[in-house]
Amino acid sequence: MPVIEVRNLSKRYGETVAVRDVSFTVEAGEIFGILGPNGAGKTTTVECVAGLRSPDGGEITVLGRSPRDPALRKLVGVQLQESELQEKLTVREVLELYSAFYPQPADWRGLAGDLGLGEKLNTYFGKLSGGQKQRLSIALALIGNPQIAILDELTTGLDPQARRDTWELISGVRDRGVTLLLVTHFMEEAERLCDRIAVIDRGEVVALNTPAGLVEQTATADQTIRFRPSAPIEDELLTSLPEVSRINRHGDRIEVVGTGNLLHAVTSVLASHGIVAVELRLEQATLDDAFVRLTGRTAEESPR
Ligand code: ADP
């Protein structure tokens, strides 16, 4: 049984259609990413899954229940954007307060340490930097030892090192069996962390696949191999391969453009003629390229 099931979700704010038609299912133990440009409807979607907003249409079940079922409060941890806490509570007080809400809370000291907040326990929330507030909000999403954690833009505002540390923490959380639903507009984050990704654009799912599957699904003839053959070769040797669409020569270097398992095809045929590809480079389509193909813009751009 899927852990989260969203079917034909729609939600508008007045005239603005935030979510037009979104469907996806999240299986137990996976990290499922929602990726899309600003304003695509990602936050609205996860807020509906978290029971914080009522959908206008469609159906959502979380662990077989309606998102607003009070029984879910102890099973689902939520980190949302711009979590606002009392300025005059210390980090320690916030963590103690939140652990008290749960029957089997996580070890909050360990969590604070893992998130680089171990030194900040006596600091007021109001005195934390943006990145520290962000990390505290992640701690609060995980403090109840939830079965599902919903994280929205979890590493926005963090420096590269803190971002990597957070990814490591999230992978560790998944390894303990927690299912994660995360919203991101960072391609690298989606690629590193997610088992599957739903790309949302203008309130609709435009693709749903593994990171590698998304790249494959949208990659056409855009793998390029460059090398210098150790001995002269005829064009025909390469152009006769079904994977090769064209070759270009630049002095003693050859550029081969093609699809499928291009690298294997090219290196095999060279090997069979006793030729070595020197200074071999492969350029492949990335998730960035896939995203641009699917949505017509980069994740940082706004659709409107
Ligand atoms: P994303 O998370 O992908 O950036 P959102 O779900 O936040 O997208 O927003 C989708 C659309 O709905 C945007 O056009 C946004 O301006 C609008 N929107 C979001 N929240 C509200 C709100 N509370 N009231 C009015 N419009 C909103």
Side-chain angles (χ1 to χ4, degrees), residues 106-162:
D107 162 26
W108 63 257
R109 283 175 193 279
L111 211 46
D114 289 347
L115 283 159
L117 293 169
E119 310 281 290
K120 296 283 162 194
L121 294 180
N122 297 319
T123 305
Y124 286 126
F125 176 73
K127 297 278 182 213
L128 295 177
S129 70
Q132 290 160 350
K133 285 182 178 172
Q134 175 83 353
R135 283 179 271 152
L136 181 58
S137 72
I138 297 171
L140 296 181
L142 301 174
I143 206 161
N145 262 330
Q147 285 186 29
I148 299 174
I150 300 177
L151 306 168
D152 192 354
E153 298 287 359
L154 83 155
T155 63
T156 297
L158 299 188
D159 62 48
Q161 186 56 49

Short mmCIF file of all heavy atoms in Angstrom, two decimals, residues 106-162:
data_model
loop_
_atom_site.label_atom_id
_atom_site.label_comp_id
_atom_site.label_asym_id
_atom_site.label_seq_id
_atom_site.Cartn_x
_atom_site.Cartn_y
_atom_site.Cartn_z
N ALA A 106 12.44 11.57 19.22
CA ALA A 106 13.84 11.28 18.91
C ALA A 106 14.70 11.89 20.01
O ALA A 106 14.24 12.73 20.78
CB ALA A 106 14.19 11.89 17.56
N ASP A 107 15.96 11.49 20.07
CA ASP A 107 16.91 12.09 21.00
C ASP A 107 17.23 13.49 20.46
O ASP A 107 17.94 13.63 19.47
CB ASP A 107 18.16 11.20 21.04
CG ASP A 107 19.37 11.92 21.60
OD1 ASP A 107 19.18 12.87 22.39
OD2 ASP A 107 20.50 11.54 21.24
N TRP A 108 16.66 14.53 21.11
CA TRP A 108 16.80 15.86 20.53
C TRP A 108 18.22 16.40 20.56
O TRP A 108 18.63 17.14 19.70
CB TRP A 108 15.80 16.86 21.10
CG TRP A 108 15.90 17.16 22.57
CD1 TRP A 108 15.07 16.68 23.54
CD2 TRP A 108 16.82 18.04 23.23
NE1 TRP A 108 15.43 17.18 24.77
CE2 TRP A 108 16.51 18.02 24.60
CE3 TRP A 108 17.89 18.83 22.80
CZ2 TRP A 108 17.22 18.76 25.55
CZ3 TRP A 108 18.61 19.57 23.73
CH2 TRP A 108 18.26 19.53 25.09
N ARG A 109 19.01 15.93 21.57
CA ARG A 109 20.41 16.38 21.61
C ARG A 109 21.18 15.85 20.40
O ARG A 109 21.96 16.56 19.78
CB ARG A 109 21.11 15.89 22.89
CG ARG A 109 20.72 16.69 24.10
CD ARG A 109 21.35 16.08 25.36
NE ARG A 109 20.73 16.67 26.53
CZ ARG A 109 21.07 17.85 27.03
NH1 ARG A 109 22.04 18.55 26.47
NH2 ARG A 109 20.45 18.34 28.08
N GLY A 110 20.93 14.57 20.09
CA GLY A 110 21.60 13.96 18.95
C GLY A 110 21.21 14.66 17.66
O GLY A 110 22.05 14.96 16.81
N LEU A 111 19.91 14.94 17.55
CA LEU A 111 19.40 15.60 16.35
C LEU A 111 20.03 16.99 16.20
O LEU A 111 20.47 17.38 15.12
CB LEU A 111 17.88 15.72 16.52
CG LEU A 111 16.98 15.70 15.31
CD1 LEU A 111 17.35 14.58 14.35
CD2 LEU A 111 15.53 15.57 15.76
N ALA A 112 20.07 17.72 17.34
CA ALA A 112 20.66 19.06 17.30
C ALA A 112 22.13 18.97 16.90
O ALA A 112 22.61 19.77 16.08
CB ALA A 112 20.52 19.74 18.66
N GLY A 113 22.85 17.96 17.43
CA GLY A 113 24.25 17.77 17.08
C GLY A 113 24.41 17.47 15.60
O GLY A 113 25.22 18.08 14.90
N ASP A 114 23.59 16.53 15.10
CA ASP A 114 23.66 16.15 13.68
C ASP A 114 23.40 17.35 12.77
O ASP A 114 23.88 17.41 11.64
CB ASP A 114 22.63 15.07 13.35
CG ASP A 114 23.00 13.73 13.97
OD1 ASP A 114 24.16 13.58 14.41
OD2 ASP A 114 22.13 12.83 14.00
N LEU A 115 22.59 18.28 13.25
CA LEU A 115 22.24 19.44 12.42
C LEU A 115 23.12 20.65 12.72
O LEU A 115 22.82 21.76 12.30
CB LEU A 115 20.76 19.79 12.62
CG LEU A 115 19.80 18.85 11.88
CD1 LEU A 115 18.42 18.88 12.47
CD2 LEU A 115 19.76 19.19 10.41
N GLY A 116 24.19 20.42 13.46
CA GLY A 116 25.13 21.51 13.72
C GLY A 116 24.58 22.57 14.66
O GLY A 116 24.98 23.73 14.61
N LEU A 117 23.65 22.18 15.54
CA LEU A 117 23.07 23.14 16.49
C LEU A 117 23.51 22.87 17.92
O LEU A 117 23.02 23.51 18.85
CB LEU A 117 21.54 23.11 16.40
CG LEU A 117 20.93 23.61 15.09
CD1 LEU A 117 19.43 23.29 15.04
CD2 LEU A 117 21.15 25.12 14.93
N GLY A 118 24.42 21.90 18.08
CA GLY A 118 24.86 21.51 19.42
C GLY A 118 25.40 22.67 20.25
O GLY A 118 25.21 22.71 21.47
N GLU A 119 26.02 23.62 19.59
CA GLU A 119 26.61 24.78 20.30
C GLU A 119 25.59 25.89 20.53
O GLU A 119 25.91 26.90 21.14
CB GLU A 119 27.75 25.38 19.46
CG GLU A 119 28.76 24.37 18.96
CD GLU A 119 29.75 24.00 20.05
OE1 GLU A 119 30.55 24.87 20.40
OE2 GLU A 119 29.68 22.86 20.56
N LYS A 120 24.41 25.73 19.99
CA LYS A 120 23.44 26.83 19.97
C LYS A 120 22.27 26.60 20.92
O LYS A 120 21.27 27.31 20.87
CB LYS A 120 22.87 27.01 18.55
CG LYS A 120 23.91 27.42 17.53
CD LYS A 120 24.22 28.89 17.66
CE LYS A 120 25.53 29.24 16.99
NZ LYS A 120 26.02 30.55 17.36
N LEU A 121 22.40 25.58 21.79
CA LEU A 121 21.25 25.20 22.62
C LEU A 121 20.76 26.34 23.50
O LEU A 121 19.57 26.44 23.80
CB LEU A 121 21.59 23.98 23.47
CG LEU A 121 21.84 22.68 22.68
CD1 LEU A 121 22.16 21.54 23.62
CD2 LEU A 121 20.65 22.34 21.80
N ASN A 122 21.66 27.23 23.93
CA ASN A 122 21.25 28.32 24.81
C ASN A 122 20.97 29.63 24.08
O ASN A 122 20.78 30.67 24.70
CB ASN A 122 22.30 28.54 25.90
CG ASN A 122 22.43 27.29 26.77
OD1 ASN A 122 21.42 26.67 27.12
ND2 ASN A 122 23.65 26.90 27.08
N THR A 123 20.95 29.55 22.76
CA THR A 123 20.71 30.77 21.97
C THR A 123 19.21 30.93 21.74
O THR A 123 18.50 29.96 21.49
CB THR A 123 21.44 30.64 20.61
OG1 THR A 123 22.81 30.38 20.87
CG2 THR A 123 21.30 31.89 19.77
N TYR A 124 18.76 32.20 21.84
CA TYR A 124 17.35 32.47 21.54
C TYR A 124 17.06 32.23 20.07
O TYR A 124 17.90 32.55 19.21
CB TYR A 124 17.00 33.93 21.87
CG TYR A 124 16.89 34.22 23.34
CD1 TYR A 124 17.62 35.25 23.92
CD2 TYR A 124 16.03 33.47 24.14
CE1 TYR A 124 17.52 35.52 25.28
CE2 TYR A 124 15.92 33.72 25.50
CZ TYR A 124 16.67 34.75 26.07
OH TYR A 124 16.57 34.99 27.40
N PHE A 125 15.88 31.73 19.78
CA PHE A 125 15.47 31.50 18.40
C PHE A 125 15.65 32.77 17.58
O PHE A 125 16.18 32.74 16.46
CB PHE A 125 14.00 31.04 18.35
CG PHE A 125 13.49 30.88 16.94
CD1 PHE A 125 13.90 29.81 16.16
CD2 PHE A 125 12.62 31.81 16.38
CE1 PHE A 125 13.45 29.66 14.85
CE2 PHE A 125 12.17 31.67 15.08
CZ PHE A 125 12.59 30.60 14.32
N GLY A 126 15.26 33.91 18.18
CA GLY A 126 15.35 35.19 17.48
C GLY A 126 16.77 35.60 17.11
O GLY A 126 16.96 36.45 16.24
N LYS A 127 17.75 34.99 17.76
CA LYS A 127 19.15 35.36 17.48
C LYS A 127 19.84 34.40 16.50
O LYS A 127 21.02 34.55 16.20
CB LYS A 127 19.98 35.34 18.79
CG LYS A 127 19.51 36.35 19.81
CD LYS A 127 20.09 37.73 19.49
CE LYS A 127 19.65 38.73 20.55
NZ LYS A 127 19.47 40.07 19.97
N LEU A 128 19.11 33.39 16.06
CA LEU A 128 19.72 32.43 15.13
C LEU A 128 19.81 33.04 13.74
O LEU A 128 18.98 33.88 13.36
CB LEU A 128 18.87 31.15 15.05
CG LEU A 128 18.75 30.30 16.31
CD1 LEU A 128 17.81 29.11 16.04
CD2 LEU A 128 20.11 29.79 16.78
N SER A 129 20.80 32.59 12.98
CA SER A 129 20.91 33.02 11.58
C SER A 129 19.82 32.29 10.77
O SER A 129 19.21 31.33 11.27
CB SER A 129 22.28 32.65 11.02
OG SER A 129 22.37 31.24 10.88
N GLY A 130 19.62 32.73 9.55
CA GLY A 130 18.62 32.09 8.68
C GLY A 130 18.88 30.61 8.53
O GLY A 130 17.97 29.78 8.64
N GLY A 131 20.15 30.26 8.32
CA GLY A 131 20.51 28.85 8.13
C GLY A 131 20.28 28.03 9.39
O GLY A 131 19.85 26.88 9.33
N GLN A 132 20.55 28.63 10.56
CA GLN A 132 20.33 27.91 11.83
C GLN A 132 18.83 27.70 12.08
O GLN A 132 18.41 26.64 12.54
CB GLN A 132 20.98 28.68 12.98
CG GLN A 132 22.50 28.63 12.91
CD GLN A 132 23.18 29.72 13.71
OE1 GLN A 132 22.53 30.67 14.18
NE2 GLN A 132 24.48 29.61 13.85
N LYS A 133 18.03 28.71 11.77
CA LYS A 133 16.56 28.55 11.92
C LYS A 133 16.07 27.42 11.02
O LYS A 133 15.23 26.61 11.41
CB LYS A 133 15.84 29.85 11.51
CG LYS A 133 15.96 30.95 12.55
CD LYS A 133 15.19 32.18 12.13
CE LYS A 133 15.29 33.23 13.21
NZ LYS A 133 14.74 34.53 12.82
N GLN A 134 16.63 27.41 9.81
CA GLN A 134 16.28 26.38 8.84
C GLN A 134 16.60 24.99 9.40
O GLN A 134 15.79 24.07 9.33
CB GLN A 134 17.11 26.68 7.59
CG GLN A 134 17.00 25.69 6.47
CD GLN A 134 15.77 25.97 5.65
OE1 GLN A 134 14.94 26.81 5.99
NE2 GLN A 134 15.63 25.22 4.58
N ARG A 135 17.79 24.86 10.00
CA ARG A 135 18.19 23.55 10.53
C ARG A 135 17.35 23.17 11.74
O ARG A 135 17.02 22.01 11.94
CB ARG A 135 19.69 23.55 10.86
CG ARG A 135 20.50 23.41 9.58
CD ARG A 135 21.96 23.44 9.84
NE ARG A 135 22.48 24.79 9.80
CZ ARG A 135 23.54 25.22 10.47
NH1 ARG A 135 24.18 24.39 11.27
NH2 ARG A 135 23.95 26.45 10.36
N LEU A 136 16.97 24.16 12.52
CA LEU A 136 16.09 23.88 13.66
C LEU A 136 14.72 23.38 13.16
O LEU A 136 14.14 22.46 13.73
CB LEU A 136 15.92 25.13 14.53
CG LEU A 136 15.06 24.97 15.77
CD1 LEU A 136 15.60 23.87 16.70
CD2 LEU A 136 14.95 26.29 16.55
N SER A 137 14.24 23.97 12.08
CA SER A 137 12.93 23.54 11.57
C SER A 137 13.00 22.10 11.05
O SER A 137 12.03 21.36 11.11
CB SER A 137 12.39 24.52 10.53
OG SER A 137 13.11 24.40 9.33
N ILE A 138 14.18 21.71 10.53
CA ILE A 138 14.34 20.30 10.11
C ILE A 138 14.32 19.40 11.35
O ILE A 138 13.67 18.36 11.37
CB ILE A 138 15.65 20.10 9.32
CG1 ILE A 138 15.63 20.93 8.04
CG2 ILE A 138 15.87 18.63 9.00
CD1 ILE A 138 16.97 20.96 7.30
N ALA A 139 15.02 19.85 12.40
CA ALA A 139 15.02 19.06 13.65
C ALA A 139 13.59 18.87 14.15
O ALA A 139 13.22 17.77 14.59
CB ALA A 139 15.87 19.77 14.71
N LEU A 140 12.78 19.93 14.06
CA LEU A 140 11.41 19.83 14.58
C LEU A 140 10.55 18.88 13.73
O LEU A 140 9.65 18.24 14.24
CB LEU A 140 10.77 21.22 14.65
CG LEU A 140 11.47 22.18 15.63
CD1 LEU A 140 10.75 23.52 15.66
CD2 LEU A 140 11.58 21.59 17.02
N ALA A 141 10.88 18.79 12.43
CA ALA A 141 10.12 17.86 11.58
C ALA A 141 10.45 16.41 11.95
O ALA A 141 9.64 15.51 11.74
CB ALA A 141 10.45 18.11 10.11
N LEU A 142 11.64 16.21 12.51
CA LEU A 142 12.09 14.83 12.77
C LEU A 142 11.99 14.44 14.24
O LEU A 142 12.18 13.29 14.61
CB LEU A 142 13.55 14.68 12.32
CG LEU A 142 13.80 14.97 10.83
CD1 LEU A 142 15.29 14.94 10.52
CD2 LEU A 142 13.05 13.97 9.96
N ILE A 143 11.64 15.40 15.09
CA ILE A 143 11.75 15.19 16.53
C ILE A 143 10.77 14.15 17.06
O ILE A 143 11.03 13.50 18.07
CB ILE A 143 11.61 16.54 17.27
CG1 ILE A 143 12.32 16.46 18.62
CG2 ILE A 143 10.16 16.96 17.43
CD1 ILE A 143 12.64 17.82 19.19
N GLY A 144 9.65 13.98 16.38
CA GLY A 144 8.66 13.02 16.87
C GLY A 144 8.90 11.61 16.37
O GLY A 144 8.03 10.75 16.52
N ASN A 145 10.08 11.35 15.76
CA ASN A 145 10.33 10.04 15.16
C ASN A 145 9.20 9.66 14.20
O ASN A 145 8.60 8.60 14.33
CB ASN A 145 10.46 8.96 16.23
CG ASN A 145 11.90 8.67 16.54
OD1 ASN A 145 12.77 8.81 15.69
ND2 ASN A 145 12.15 8.29 17.78
N PRO A 146 8.91 10.52 13.23
CA PRO A 146 7.75 10.27 12.38
C PRO A 146 7.97 9.12 11.41
O PRO A 146 9.11 8.74 11.14
CB PRO A 146 7.62 11.58 11.60
CG PRO A 146 9.01 12.10 11.50
CD PRO A 146 9.67 11.71 12.81
N GLN A 147 6.87 8.56 10.91
CA GLN A 147 6.97 7.56 9.83
C GLN A 147 7.17 8.25 8.49
O GLN A 147 7.73 7.70 7.55
CB GLN A 147 5.68 6.74 9.76
CG GLN A 147 5.57 5.75 10.89
CD GLN A 147 4.35 4.85 10.72
OE1 GLN A 147 3.90 4.57 9.61
NE2 GLN A 147 3.81 4.41 11.82
N ILE A 148 6.62 9.48 8.41
CA ILE A 148 6.74 10.26 7.18
C ILE A 148 7.24 11.64 7.58
O ILE A 148 6.76 12.22 8.55
CB ILE A 148 5.36 10.45 6.51
CG1 ILE A 148 4.75 9.11 6.14
CG2 ILE A 148 5.47 11.35 5.28
CD1 ILE A 148 3.33 9.22 5.62
N ALA A 149 8.21 12.17 6.83
CA ALA A 149 8.61 13.55 7.05
C ALA A 149 8.41 14.32 5.75
O ALA A 149 8.75 13.84 4.67
CB ALA A 149 10.06 13.63 7.49
N ILE A 150 7.80 15.49 5.89
CA ILE A 150 7.54 16.35 4.73
C ILE A 150 8.42 17.58 4.89
O ILE A 150 8.30 18.31 5.87
CB ILE A 150 6.04 16.75 4.69
CG1 ILE A 150 5.17 15.50 4.57
CG2 ILE A 150 5.78 17.72 3.53
CD1 ILE A 150 3.68 15.78 4.59
N LEU A 151 9.32 17.77 3.95
CA LEU A 151 10.31 18.84 4.07
C LEU A 151 10.20 19.76 2.86
O LEU A 151 10.30 19.31 1.72
CB LEU A 151 11.72 18.23 4.16
CG LEU A 151 11.90 17.17 5.26
CD1 LEU A 151 13.21 16.42 5.09
CD2 LEU A 151 11.83 17.79 6.65
N ASP A 152 10.01 21.05 3.13
CA ASP A 152 9.83 22.01 2.03
C ASP A 152 11.06 22.90 1.92
O ASP A 152 11.35 23.65 2.84
CB ASP A 152 8.58 22.86 2.30
CG ASP A 152 8.16 23.66 1.07
OD1 ASP A 152 8.90 23.65 0.07
OD2 ASP A 152 7.09 24.29 1.13
N GLU A 153 11.75 22.80 0.80
CA GLU A 153 12.95 23.61 0.55
C GLU A 153 13.93 23.48 1.71
O GLU A 153 14.35 24.47 2.30
CB GLU A 153 12.58 25.08 0.32
CG GLU A 153 11.69 25.31 -0.87
CD GLU A 153 12.40 25.15 -2.21
OE1 GLU A 153 13.61 24.88 -2.24
OE2 GLU A 153 11.73 25.28 -3.24
N LEU A 154 14.28 22.24 2.03
CA LEU A 154 15.01 22.00 3.27
C LEU A 154 16.37 22.64 3.33
O LEU A 154 16.86 22.94 4.40
CB LEU A 154 15.08 20.50 3.59
CG LEU A 154 16.13 19.60 2.97
CD1 LEU A 154 16.34 18.41 3.88
CD2 LEU A 154 15.66 19.09 1.63
N THR A 155 17.00 22.86 2.18
CA THR A 155 18.36 23.43 2.26
C THR A 155 18.46 24.84 1.71
O THR A 155 19.55 25.37 1.56
CB THR A 155 19.38 22.54 1.54
OG1 THR A 155 19.03 22.49 0.16
CG2 THR A 155 19.42 21.14 2.12
N THR A 156 17.31 25.47 1.43
CA THR A 156 17.36 26.85 0.95
C THR A 156 17.98 27.72 2.04
O THR A 156 17.62 27.62 3.20
CB THR A 156 15.95 27.33 0.60
OG1 THR A 156 15.47 26.51 -0.46
CG2 THR A 156 15.94 28.78 0.16
N GLY A 157 18.92 28.56 1.67
CA GLY A 157 19.54 29.46 2.64
C GLY A 157 20.72 28.84 3.37
O GLY A 157 21.36 29.51 4.18
N LEU A 158 21.00 27.57 3.12
CA LEU A 158 22.16 26.95 3.78
C LEU A 158 23.39 27.08 2.90
O LEU A 158 23.28 27.08 1.67
CB LEU A 158 21.89 25.46 4.06
CG LEU A 158 20.71 25.12 4.96
CD1 LEU A 158 20.72 23.64 5.29
CD2 LEU A 158 20.74 25.93 6.25
N ASP A 159 24.56 27.18 3.54
CA ASP A 159 25.78 27.23 2.74
C ASP A 159 26.08 25.82 2.23
O ASP A 159 25.49 24.84 2.70
CB ASP A 159 26.94 27.84 3.54
CG ASP A 159 27.28 27.02 4.76
OD1 ASP A 159 27.42 25.78 4.64
OD2 ASP A 159 27.40 27.59 5.86
N PRO A 160 26.97 25.70 1.24
CA PRO A 160 27.19 24.40 0.60
C PRO A 160 27.55 23.28 1.58
O PRO A 160 27.06 22.16 1.44
CB PRO A 160 28.33 24.67 -0.38
CG PRO A 160 28.22 26.12 -0.70
CD PRO A 160 27.72 26.77 0.56
N GLN A 161 28.36 23.59 2.59
CA GLN A 161 28.73 22.54 3.55
C GLN A 161 27.53 22.11 4.38
O GLN A 161 27.28 20.91 4.55
CB GLN A 161 29.86 23.04 4.48
CG GLN A 161 30.40 21.98 5.40
CD GLN A 161 30.90 20.74 4.64
OE1 GLN A 161 31.66 20.85 3.68
NE2 GLN A 161 30.45 19.56 5.06
N ALA A 162 26.75 23.07 4.86
CA ALA A 162 25.56 22.75 5.66
C ALA A 162 24.55 21.97 4.80
O ALA A 162 23.86 21.07 5.29
CB ALA A 162 24.92 24.02 6.19
#
